[in-house]
Amino acid sequence: MKKMIFPFGAALCALFAAAAAVGCTSSSHNDSEPYAVLAPAAFAGEAEAWEGVVSSLQQRHDAVVLRFEESPMELEAQLKEVAPRYVAVVDVPENIGRDYVISLNQMSRRMDEDPYADFLWGIITGYDAAGAQRMVDDAQEPMVIRTGVASIKELEAAKWFDAYAFVDDHQVGMRGEKKAGESSLAYSEIEYRTDMTGANERIQKFVEKRFGKDVPDVLRQFLEYYEGYEPDLVVTASHATENNLEMPGSVGNLRCRDGRLYVDYPGEQRFVEDRDSRMVYLPIGNCLIGNMNNTRNSMAAAWMNSQKAATFVGYVVTTWYGRNGWGGLKYLITNPGRYSVPEAFYMNQQDMMAQMAECSDSLTVAPFDYDSNYFQTMMPALQRFVDVEGLSQEEVMNELFFWLGFWHDRDVLAYYGDPKWNVRMQEVEGESDFTVTSEFERLSRDEAAATGASRRCVITVETSPEFSLRRMQGDGFKEEHVLDLPFSYFFPQRLSNPVLPEGETRHIVLDENFMLLYDPAFEPGQTYTFEVLCD
């Protein structure tokens, strides 16, 4: 299995620089894709409006509703009985924080004995109940992502978008824009700000140290693109907290106030224009911005409220390794249109779990101490899990750093939004170069007796003459965080007790919801089949 290797010293330098249920209501539902809604037994405020959010989800998805007193984790036993494929947690922001998200990630993997998440989950919340209801309503109809704005350069190919613009978080001062009807980006330099009147002393010292006298007005340019395009997708990186988002080298700051985004420039303060259209926000390179921090006065609530982020995926801790965030984006844009946003992030997380399980089962369950200096405290602990026998000291440090990154990222990505929303990238011409289909066959009496299964699921992959294995595996996107992806398949319906047939030798990871094939040897113009036995 391939993995990314960081030079340990260089990476560290870069890092430090920068419910027992109290009630249950149910109705008939699709047995292959049951949906559960978890909600408090009683909402403290706006109770009727919050119950309306629960009711909307229940009716839309024909869902089972489970109630908790203090925490959704009280419902673990009931969830095992219901066995949902999708779970929405409706809760007020005052209840949602770092440990809440970590616990949800962990509980999703405890429905059975394997290390994989057994359901896709999303938190439905908002600055208030009306914001949470908007999130539900905006996910009612499918959405195809056609326009984007970002604070990263990595999407500069822009092939996924009819219109796209970015400011660069690495080469501060660079920007690029692809206007509607154009085929590629045009690059230019961001205007510099010379008047620092109103800037506080800290900002003035930063500008003098980094740029001398003048500074590129990065945030102002980002907002010009964002408010001008009102894009379907926003992707950001660079420094952030639960309360602010900074553009690198910018003298301004994006903050939250009263459920809205607020721009704090030297000598100028204003609200960001409220949006009229729904969007997806992926701050996958930002620290902490996904943590509601048990308050509605957070950046996450403001993006969901005033900017209509119907899906928001972000870290609840400081991030440095980035496999969970960047990996989810890589799954989304690789073979665009194939996975919805929730499916892409789900598949990436299961890919992570599969690699961790092959290293050590302990890594899939061992708690991570985010409040410690984990480079000092957790690295030695890793040596109990990771086989480093025969490696040089440098190789040992690289190996431990690699698995520390996976361990750190395992449980800390928050998914806000309906986990069943069909929102995905638009297809790119020429890149839909393989198809995947599956069909079921009833086993004969003798086969059933020999295998203990009752059905055979046959998965067929057909590659076109123009097929590119490199593109299937991610086309080299963000290799410092995520190397080649496996071939992956999210089953159209969950399988019951799936097993590989005797004699299957390919490197396959199998679960009720998905299949991963590592190091696929697919070639153009060929057909490949896989068999899975199930009940």
Side-chain angles (χ1 to χ4, degrees), residues 168-200:
D168 191 358
D169 67 343
H170 293 301
Q171 186 176 336
V172 177
M174 176 188 286
R175 62 178 174 177
E177 184 175 13
K178 172 187 172 182
K179 296 180 180 179
E182 297 178 345
S183 59
S184 60
L185 281 169
Y187 296 89
S188 59
E189 192 172 15
I190 294 172
E191 292 184 5
Y192 276 65
R193 181 187 182 106
T194 58
D195 180 11
M196 297 299 296
T197 303
N200 63 39

Side-chain angles (χ1 to χ4, degrees), residues 407-456:
W407 192 10
H408 170 278
D409 263 33
R410 187 189 64 193
D411 302 323
V412 292
L413 209 62
Y415 194 100
Y416 297 100
D418 189 334
K420 205 173 180 180
W421 186 23
N422 182 8
V423 52
R424 60 190 72 221
M425 308 296 293
Q426 67 176 333
E427 293 186 11
V428 174
E429 185 176 358
E431 294 199 4
S432 298
D433 55 5
F434 70 96
T435 61
V436 188
T437 57
S438 57
E439 59 181 358
F440 290 91
E441 303 172 353
R442 182 67 62 178
L443 297 183
S444 68
R445 182 177 300 177
D446 290 343
E447 288 177 312
T451 63
S454 60
R455 295 189 300 168
R456 176 188 294 111

Side-chain angles (χ1 to χ4, degrees), residues 328-347:
L329 181 61
K330 189 165 184 171
Y331 268 87
L332 181 65
I333 65 173
T334 298
N335 309 117
R338 184 163 178 243
Y339 286 136
S340 69
V341 174
E343 290 168 353
F345 280 89
Y346 173 83
M347 291 303 297

